[in-house]
Amino acid sequence: MAPLVLAATRARADARLKVVASFSVLADIVKNVGGDHIELTTLVGPDGDAHVFEPTPTDAKAVAEAAVVFVNGLGLEGWMDRLVQSAGYKGPVVAATTGVKPRIMAEDGNTVTDPHAWQDLGNGRLYVANVAAALAAADPGDADDFRKAAATYTAAIDAKDEWVRAELTAVPAGRRKIITSHDAFGYFGAAYGISFLAPEGVSTEAEPSAAGVARLVRQMRSEGIKIVFFENMASPKLVQALAADAGAKVGGTLYSDALSPPGGPADSYLKMFDNNVPQLKAAMLGM
Ligand SMILES: [Zn+2]
């Protein structure tokens, strides 16, 4: 390679856009759109809980050096404002859920917003569009590549959405009930027609009340719900206790708020559905 070409290649590699994504699911979406044009730092990694996170000085440094910071928004990352402030970051903080119709609900007398919008693949399309627009604004020279990558990835999301719907058509209406440890599947349930119940609310920050757990056990018994699911990023204790109290069994592990480590059963946003949907289907059909 001629020295001039080599120098140009280096300059191009050096010019990779530094971006930060708050948690692993969003990071996978950002990676799919940004490709080789970005240098990506993920704050809450595989199997991590994005509701409760204590950033380190290394995280603050990554934020300080970023050209764009991507968050889910809708209240998922309660720790992010402080991190941005302490890092002295002045760039854009882009909420991937911009344009999502939020699920707003009552929880223990409070109005809460459900942040788990990625569990509806229809919302995944919006995440991709928001990420592509923000990357193009930060790096206009590569905007064409971001647009093309977003189109390819959106087609894969659409195909997965159709697959999920097809997989679940076999489940009769009366059996479409699933128990998890926290309320992470509200958007999934609304999109694909399943009721999800959980002893914990839309955040893992608060412990469930004993009265709430007892109420759920009564409901499980009266409605014949015999299977509960672990979530990869939550403690298994709550689900084990619930299963014991209600005479139910544990159906497996759903990936809710975080991906698996690379090589695991849900190491991408789309593979999360590959892991979760067959388990949900089998549990509901076996009820
Ligand atoms: Zn959650």
Side-chain angles (χ1 to χ4, degrees):
M1 203 181 277
L4 265 180
V5 176
L6 191 65
T9 309
R10 261 198 209 120
R12 198 174 162 75
D14 287 346
R16 287 207 301 169
L17 196 69
K18 287 189 176 179
V19 306
V20 166
S22 59
F23 74 120
S24 58
V25 178
L26 177 57
D28 182 55
I29 293 171
V30 172
K31 193 173 68 184
N32 270 280
V33 178
D36 290 339
H37 296 303
I38 61 167
E39 185 184 325
L40 176 63
T41 300
T42 307
L43 299 179
V44 183
D47 291 334
D49 183 348
H51 295 287
V52 285
F53 177 61
E54 286 175 22
T56 64
T58 312
D59 298 321
K61 185 166 177 285
V63 168
E65 292 174 351
V68 188
V69 171
F70 289 102
V71 297
N72 181 76
L74 301 181
L76 178 68
E77 305 97 337
W79 40 269
M80 185 57 95
D81 284 354
R82 267 181 67 190
L83 175 57
V84 162
Q85 213 162 42
S86 71
Y89 174 72
K90 300 279 187 283
V93 177
V94 176
T97 50
T98 303
V100 164
K101 186 171 177 285
R103 296 184 73 244
I104 311 235
M105 51 231 257
E107 199 175 83
D108 298 331
N110 300 313
T111 301
V112 294
T113 303
D114 181 352
H116 306 91
W118 62 88
Q119 289 291 351
D120 172 354
L121 284 154
N123 289 335
R125 296 174 62 108
L126 288 172
Y127 280 57
V128 173
N130 289 326
V131 167
L135 288 178
D139 175 11
D142 291 317
D144 259 2
D145 283 359
F146 298 138
R147 204 169 18 246
K148 278 180 209 150
T152 305
Y153 189 41
T154 299
I157 289 175
D158 287 348
K160 191 64 69 183
D161 186 56
E162 277 183 35
W163 173 79
V164 173
R165 288 173 198 286
E167 279 295 296
L168 296 175
T169 48
V171 182
R175 295 189 182 186
R176 291 176 167 252
K177 283 179 197 137
I178 292 286
I179 312 282
T180 61
S181 60
H182 90 296
D183 212 347
F185 291 93
Y187 290 90
F188 184 101
Y192 305 113
I194 297 169
S195 298
F196 283 86
L197 303 165
E200 263 187 317
V202 295
S203 176
T204 56
E205 277 174 293
E207 295 275 311
S209 69
V213 172
R215 198 162 53 234
L216 185 57
V217 167
R218 281 198 299 277
Q219 184 176 2
M220 288 171 68
R221 288 210 174 114
S222 70
E223 298 183 14
I225 304 174
K226 297 248 187 303
I227 294 186
V228 297
F229 279 93
F230 289 133
E231 289 172 58
N232 68 310
M233 38 55 73
S235 160
K237 283 187 194 141
L238 183 57
V239 163
Q240 281 160 343
L242 192 64
D245 283 358
K249 62 175 187 173
V250 177
T253 300
L254 301 177
Y255 284 78
S256 53
D257 294 14
L259 302 180
S260 67
D267 60 0
S268 76
Y269 174 49
L270 295 180
K271 279 169 77 178
M272 188 179 236
F273 291 86
D274 292 343
N275 174 81
N276 292 354
V277 171
Q279 290 189 65
L280 293 169
K281 181 182 174 182
M284 292 186 288
L285 287 177
M287 252 162 53

